[in-house]
Each structure stands twice: as C-alpha cells, then as structure tokens.
Amino acid sequence: MNETNYSDLFDNLLPAFGETLEMCGIALLLAVLLGVPLGVLSYITAQRSICQNKLVNLVVGFFINVVMSTPFVILLVLLLPFTRFVVGTSIGPEAASVPLGIVAIAFYARLVEGNLHAVDNGVIEASLAMGATWLRIVTNVLLPGAFSGMIRGLTVLAVTLVGYSAMAGIVGGGGVGDLAIRFGYYRYQTDVMLITVLLLIALVQVIQTIGEKASRKVQK
Amino acid sequence: MIKFDNVSVSFSNKKGQLVNAVKNVSFDIEDGEILGIVGTSGAGKSTLLRTVNQLQLPTGGKTVVNGVDVGGLSGGDLARFRHSIGMIFQQFNLVSTKTVAQNVAFAMEIAGRSREEISRRVPELLDLVGLADRADVYPNTLSGGQKQRVGIARAVANNPKILLCDEATSALDPETTNDVLRLLKEINAKFGITIVLITHEFDVVKKICQRVAVMDKGELVEIGDVFDVFTKPQHDFTKTLLSHTFDLDVPERLTLDDAKPLVKIIYNGEKAEDAIVANVVRNYGVDVNILHGKIEYINDKPFGILIVQLIGTKDNLDNSLDYLSKNTYRTEVLNERN
C-alpha cells in the first residue's frame, strides 16, 4: 500500500478534471455539429419518409451500427491511424477526443433519430400538403418538435461520454477516470479511487440537472 | 374541377398483404360545390381524398384537377400545385412549437409570400376564424374547436381553390362541429372555394353538402344530390348507413294487424306544408293514428317521415292510400294486406 500524498493528488486532480472536460466537450460539440445532421439524414431517408433514399439510409445506418457495436477500447485502438491523420498525434486528450467524438456522433445520431420519430406524423403530412420542401419541414417542424428531447439526449450522451473517457488513458488522454484507474486501481490507493469516483458522480449530477432544466424550459 | 378518372390505390400493409384501398372510382367534383364523401372507416375515402394533392399516388387511373394530372407532378410544380389546395385534418396537425399566428404564417412562408404580405394577411385570417385575440398563444392552450379554426385559417391562407377536409369534425363535440361546419359554409360562400369533405357521419353531410358520394370497401356505390341520396338511397350500403337516422321502429304487434294498414309516409318540400293527413281523415272517413314521426331539414328543405295506422272500410282505405301515394313523396305499406 502506498501512502497517499493529498497535495500531490490535488495537483493531479485539477488538470485531470480539465482533461475530462476537454475530451467530453470536444466530443459533445462534434455530436451536435455532425450527429444531428446524421440523425436527420437517417430519419428523412428512411422508407416512406420525406426524402426517401435507400442507399443513403443504408450507409448511414451501417456507420452508426458499426460504431455503436464496437467496444470503445477497441475503437480507440482501431482509430489510431485516423486520429494521427486528423490531429497529428495519437496521444493526449486531443487524440482521445477523436474516437470519443466518433462514438458521440453515432450515439447522438441515433438519439436524435428517435426524437424525430416522436414528432407527430400528422404535422409532417400537413406540411407536405401545404407544399413544404423536406428542408423546410426539417427546420420548421422536425427539429423544433424534437428539440426538448434532443437536449435530454445530449444529457444522456454527456453522462455516457464521461464514463467512456475513463478509457482514454490507453492513449494517454488523461482525465479523472484515468486517474481513478491509475492511482486508485493499479496502485491500490482506495481513497484516491473514492475521491475521483465521487468527483465523477458530482459531475454527472451537475450535467443531469442542467440537462433536465434546459429540456423542461424549451418544452411547449 | 376535380375529376377522379378510374382511380385505384393499392398498397401492401404491414403484414405484406396487398390492400386495394380504392377500386376504380370515377366521378367529378364541380367548382364551388361542397361535396361530401361518406363511408365507414376503411372505405378508402381518405385515400381517395389524398390523391387530390398527391399525398397518395394512384396506382391506377388518374386524378385530374383543373386539367392537370396530379400524379404527373413533382418537385417545384407539385409544391406550387399544393399551395392552391388547402387541407384540414381530424387531429388538426398544427405545429406545436409555433404560435397560432406563426402556424398561419407558416403556410404563407411555404408559398413564398413576402414578409409584408404575411404580416398583413395573418390578422385578417385570424379575424375570419374568430381567433384574433389568440394570435400569440401556442396551440396546446386551445380547445379542439379553436385548433380546427387555426387549421382552417392556415388552409385558406394562400387563397386556395380547393379545401380538403379529412374527418375535420370527427374529434369535436356536436356543438363545436356545428360551429366549424358553419365556418366552412361561410368560407365556401364567401370565396367560392370547392370543399371536399370526408366523414363517417351522415349528419355532417346533411348540414353542409350539396352532393354526396358514398363509398364502401374502396368502391363508389352511390353519388348524387344529398337530398336525393338521403330520401331515396339506391344502394343497400347507403340504406344501411342511413338506417339509424331513418328506421322508425314500431312495435311488432302493430304490424301484425293487417286489417289496419301501417303506412310509412315520406313527404318533402312544398308538400310537407299541406295538410295531407287531415285531408285523409276529412275526405275518406278514415281514422289516422300517428305512431311515429320525424322531420329532417336538408339544405333547408324539409323531409319528414310519419308512420300512421289507418282504420276504416276497405274501399276508404284503398282510396286514401291512393290519395297518399299521389300527394306525398313516397308512401309505403309496412304490413302485408290481403
């Protein structure tokens, strides 16, 4: 058993916390920027939807399924060449953000698609009857209608990403979860593990609370 | 003019079976009329209606609107065509994230109207449907009738020539139904918009339609003037559909007494105002026992049914029956006479 040096721990904890926020933040941003369009694309190209396209639907669906069904640790390693190509390095929090971002995009695309399905079909039919294009239906009916659900989805995604980011240590991504594994688990410092886990729980709680409040606020 | 030319629609359902929702339907809808399509659920009336604005493509035949084959339209042509056709729905289908005014404006934005035109016309439209004071509220705070009024304002926003109503009053209570029907009638009279109305309730047709098409199992079984179809249904299905409004049941024991003919007198229009029954009593010395009766007003024309028992000598009875059949719309003897 090692003695725990608390001042050392806090010196480590603060940057780790920053790394977690950085990785999850980048991934969330990517999820919003690319996951939303991907989810919309999957929804509108489906059979009998407003912009039916079998090929696009198949490709999008396949991408999402492949990413979601591959265990994250394996995805992290598989994507190393791609990561190196995108950020120029395969280690550090930026590098970990790439696979994390890809998972986030796929995961959020599915969540968004589910929220879009919850939008009343009759309203879409009414819009079509008025002569609306699919783009107008997406921007005026589908996205506003799914907005509150999408915020809730983003909360779920953020919480999941905090969990996934613990595995970022494999590529030297750092973060609170990594700290918990390295110090708490490998070095048997149970108190460190406990502190970091408590920190993670607090972080998840905060995300959940903000997410729920925001989602309720936009609901009409 | 809307022309259904041998229209058929079939599609495969979730179980993969082929469903023939509409079978070889042909009829015309004249400009400016209010035509009702009635039938039980699953009769194909909604599917047929949807071929008018290509929400449904016919799999056979074609729907022609003002000389244009609707099935042949696509892209921008289809969008422009749809701007000239309004539609209202059973579940109103308003955009819940837009206010009342924004919902109406939405239809005009889609049609590419200018901002100034929209801001000028939306209040006019809300005024027309009596919701000027609810412009900035969201639909979920409105009652069903109010929601349908917003639906109507939205549907007529682009001055359409045709208004399609898909069970527009089926989710409303009877009083609200009447309000909405009155509004539709007003819009038809004011703007000359052709209204095609789908319903499973003959009462709705009776209140505002001039003509009615009856559909059963995907086929058109009868079409004609509402008064004619109502008073003289030709097809068995129509008779069944109407039976609940017109079956005046009398106890069976009365029909058994064949010495006293039980007569169903149907009278309409101007004859309804003559004192026919009184004349029978006076001129033929026959006693008239009124057992049941009902008067309906269709397009403001009275249509009445009386079930009476005639009591008198055989000659007098024959003469009075003769008089009745000559002076009423229809006279039927309900029990067999020997």
Side-chain angles (χ1 to χ4, degrees), chain A residues 107-152:
Chain A
F107 191 27
Y108 198 46
R110 269 283 181 263
L111 290 177
V112 167
E113 189 189 358
N115 289 135
L116 293 174
H117 275 292
V119 174
D120 183 7
N121 239 321
V123 186
I124 296 163
E125 191 183 37
S127 309
L128 284 175
M130 288 188 270
T133 58
W134 65 263
L135 185 63
R136 198 182 285 273
I137 295 176
V138 168
T139 55
N140 276 270
V141 178
L142 285 171
L143 288 178
F147 194 52
S148 128
M150 281 163 60
I151 289 186
R152 226 172 295 128

Side-chain angles (χ1 to χ4, degrees), chain B residues 297-326:
Chain B
Y297 289 86
I298 304 162
N299 290 334
D300 289 333
K301 283 188 272 184
F303 174 64
I305 296 187
L306 273 185
I307 293 182
V308 296
Q309 195 175 39
L310 302 181
I311 305 161
T313 62
K314 191 171 182 312
D315 278 354
N316 285 351
L317 287 176
D318 285 343
N319 289 336
S320 54
L321 280 174
D322 190 48
Y323 170 81
L324 281 173
S325 44
K326 276 181 187 137

Side-chain angles (χ1 to χ4, degrees), chain B residues 103-280:
Chain B
N103 263 286
V104 180
F106 185 43
M108 299 183 70
E109 286 162 16
I110 290 170
R113 302 302 171 96
S114 71
R115 212 172 275 271
E116 300 84 66
E117 194 184 348
I118 293 173
S119 56
R120 195 184 59 237
R121 184 150 164 80
V122 169
E124 280 175 20
L125 287 160
L126 291 180
D127 216 31
L128 174 77
V129 298
L131 283 175
D133 56 331
R134 312 306 302 271
D136 297 318
V137 305
Y138 286 93
N140 68 355
T141 63
L142 299 177
S143 68
Q146 288 172 324
K147 283 182 193 168
Q148 196 57 289
R149 282 165 180 276
V150 179
I152 292 171
R154 178 176 73 175
V156 300
N158 294 314
N159 297 310
K161 297 182 192 76
I162 297 167
L163 178 60
L164 308 176
C165 309
D166 184 11
E167 296 275 9
T169 58
S170 303
L172 304 176
D173 59 61
E175 203 172 314
T176 320
T177 295
N178 285 342
D179 287 347
V180 167
L181 292 179
R182 218 172 293 134
L183 179 61
L184 289 176
K185 209 167 185 172
E186 187 189 323
I187 284 168
N188 166 262
K190 216 176 199 169
F191 308 114
I193 299 178
T194 310
I195 296 182
V196 189
L197 190 140
I198 277 183
T199 181
H200 62 275
E201 297 167 302
F202 219 104
D203 267 354
V204 170
V205 169
K206 232 162 53 188
K207 273 171 193 139
I208 73 165
C209 295
Q210 285 123 29
R211 285 202 307 150
V212 60
V214 183
M215 284 185 75
D216 179 35
K217 300 191 187 84
E219 287 172 55
L220 175 76
V221 295
E222 194 159 342
I223 181 167
D225 188 86
V226 173
F227 194 80
D228 293 342
V229 172
F230 198 65
T231 54
K232 231 192 295 182
Q234 300 297 312
H235 196 274
D236 283 345
F237 176 74
T238 320
K239 286 177 191 162
T240 325
L241 201 68
L242 290 171
S243 64
H244 69 281
T245 14
F246 271 100
D247 249 8
L248 301 181
D249 283 328
V250 289
E252 205 186 335
R253 61 187 160 81
L254 293 170
T255 65
L256 293 176
D257 189 354
D258 53 15
K260 301 170 185 164
L262 202 61
V263 183
K264 186 190 214 179
I265 303 167
I266 302 178
Y267 53 96
N268 66 359
E270 60 280 11
K271 296 226 168 107
E273 280 137 42
D274 291 348
I276 293 166
V277 174
N279 286 341
V280 170

